[in-house]
Amino acid sequence: MKITDHINQSKDKTIFSFEILPPLKGQNIQSIFDAIEPLMKFDPKFIDVTYHREEYEYIERGDGLLEKRVVRKRPGTVGICAAIQNKYHVDAVPHILCGGFSKEDTENFLIEVDFLGIQNVVALRGDAVKTETYFKPEKNGHVFAKDLVEQIAQMNQGKYLDETLENSSATNFAIGVAGYPEKHMEAASFQQDLHHLKKKVDAGADYIITQMFFDNQKYYEFVENCRAAGITVPIIPGIKPLVSKNQLSMIPHRFKVDLPNDLVIGVAKSKDNKAAKEIGIEWCIEQSKDLMKNNVPVLHYYSMGKSETLERILKEVF
């Protein structure tokens, strides 16, 4: 079922979803099932599976020169989605990126997930590879998420890259995109970022999932600004519990989000990571309850594949 249909059928009741990462190469898919299993009693309507692009490693050869190797440390996004839908009968939502994909790669990826009966995708530009400062598109690939959304929307109309195809079947994807309540780190201003988000929606996006935030007011203001800009699609809040003291600096540095001062003071004063985690869990519980009270369509959690913390939160919220 499409995410938009889940939302429409919920009759204004907040539903639950979460995001997982593929396991590191060489690990078994059982680690995914072990992470999902404790959360199934809370009736998740969909599970997002992230996609991780290639990385570059430089290996010293015997002659002293360096050899550049391309590696993917977390492959398996499509296979995991198929396994989740087969085992749990829950909609699985693969992420698809501009980075690392040509337009032909994108089309083939979408054909594959369509054949598996997957009806939702999240279209993202993706980050630059770790050895590069700025994002560089693949040769004959998309530069912006808007362009990726347009290609998916074209396939939903039965239009493929090869225009000579006859009697081509249309795909039927609901398209999710990312939104940033505190603006994307590369955007010059919040208004510029909002302008780019509107372009993604106009290109065919059906719903928005936000970057993590820790201050609900940022989300409410973001929704208000989106509506004022003419964006009418559902806006799903994405939230994440803070679980260690070092995340006070890591999260703002990596994701460019602010942490509320009360949360910062509480975690900074905690004696160790265990105490910090308890504060983070309680904060996330209160965040969740407030969002539900304000009738958000979905509570979407960035679980990082660790269910113990999320299970504790869900017991208090759902």
Side-chain angles (χ1 to χ4, degrees):
M1 187 185 294
K2 292 183 177 182
I3 305 308
T4 46
D5 291 335
H6 280 299
I7 292 171
N8 291 335
Q9 291 185 17
S10 69
K11 298 179 180 178
D12 296 326
K13 180 181 177 182
T14 300
I15 59 178
F16 152 61
S17 65
F18 61 98
E19 178 182 292
I20 60 172
L21 283 67
L24 289 167
K25 183 180 286 187
Q27 294 184 0
N28 193 289
I29 196 171
Q30 188 60 44
S31 63
I32 294 292
F33 297 151
D34 291 344
I36 291 174
E37 203 77 49
L39 306 178
M40 291 307 299
K41 58 179 172 285
F42 301 104
D43 191 26
K45 297 303 182 186
F46 61 94
I47 301 171
D48 276 23
V49 183
T50 59
Y51 188 96
H52 296 257
R53 64 174 301 182
E54 76 282 0
E55 298 179 20
Y56 299 136
E57 291 183 347
Y58 292 88
I59 309 298
E60 187 172 351
R61 303 188 324 196
D63 56 7
L65 297 176
L66 294 177
E67 178 184 348
K68 183 179 180 180
R69 293 182 183 176
V70 179
V71 297
R72 281 189 60 208
K73 294 185 177 180
R74 292 183 182 271
T77 297
V78 174
I80 291 168
C81 287
I84 288 172
Q85 294 204 159
N86 180 63
K87 184 176 178 65
Y88 297 107
H89 306 289
V90 171
D91 285 300
V93 185
H95 291 191
I96 180 169
L97 310 179
C98 295
F101 283 79
S102 68
K103 294 173 186 176
E104 189 75 25
D105 293 333
T106 297
E107 184 172 272
N108 292 336
F109 181 98
L110 292 167
I111 289 170
E112 184 174 351
V113 297
D114 181 53
F115 286 170
L116 289 169
I118 293 168
Q119 292 187 301
N120 305 278
V121 292
V122 174
L124 306 165
R125 191 201 68 177
D127 298 328
V129 294
K130 291 181 179 179
T131 53
E132 296 176 351
T133 304
Y134 299 107
F135 173 82
K136 294 180 181 178
E138 195 76 6
K139 183 179 180 181
N140 194 34
H142 294 300
V143 179
F144 302 111
K146 170 188 73 70
D147 305 319
L148 175 56
V149 171
E150 285 179 350
Q151 182 176 1
I152 302 168
Q154 287 285 302
M155 289 182 66
N156 280 348
Q157 297 174 28
K159 298 176 182 178
Y160 291 74
L161 295 174
D162 183 353
E163 296 179 356
T164 66
L165 292 177
E166 296 181 359
N167 302 315
S168 55
S169 297
T171 55
N172 188 30
F173 295 116
I175 307 168
V177 294
Y180 299 85
E182 299 174 67
K183 91 171 183 61
H184 190 279
M185 65 179 72
E186 295 177 19
S189 69
F190 179 84
Q191 288 303 319
Q192 184 197 53
D193 198 36
L194 195 61
H195 175 71
H196 291 316
L197 180 58
K198 179 69 161 55
K199 283 188 173 182
K200 290 190 285 188
V201 173
D202 290 345
D206 297 292
Y207 66 96
I208 296 164
I209 296 183
T210 75
Q211 167 72 286
M212 73 179 73
F213 57 90
F214 294 85
D215 180 352
N216 286 356
Q217 191 58 37
K218 299 280 181 68
Y219 168 79
Y220 300 137
E221 291 172 359
F222 176 67
V223 172
E224 187 177 326
N225 284 313
C226 285
R227 300 308 182 218
I231 296 171
T232 60
V233 300
I235 302 173
I236 297 171
I239 56 178
K240 171 184 171 61
L242 188 149
V243 295
S244 66
K245 297 189 74 166
N246 67 357
Q247 287 183 331
L248 285 182
S249 56
M250 186 276 288
I251 288 177
H253 174 75
R254 174 69 180 82
F255 299 100
K256 303 300 185 287
V257 299
D258 287 337
L259 299 179
N261 198 44
D262 288 347
L263 176 61
V264 172
I265 292 172
V267 172
K269 287 183 176 179
S270 59
K271 63 180 181 179
D272 52 27
N273 281 334
K274 183 177 179 181
K277 181 177 179 180
E278 292 302 313
I279 293 170
I281 288 173
E282 187 57 37
W283 188 275
C284 193
I285 289 170
E286 294 307 312
Q287 252 197 294
S288 301
K289 288 180 177 178
D290 180 74
L291 289 164
M292 286 186 72
K293 186 174 69 176
N294 284 276
N295 301 314
V296 298
V298 184
L299 280 178
H300 185 74
Y301 294 90
Y302 297 111
S303 74
M304 306 299 288
K306 299 174 182 177
S307 57
E308 180 266 331
T309 298
L310 184 51
E311 184 180 11
R312 287 182 54 189
I313 293 165
L314 296 173
K315 283 179 180 178
E316 299 296 326
V317 176
F318 285 93

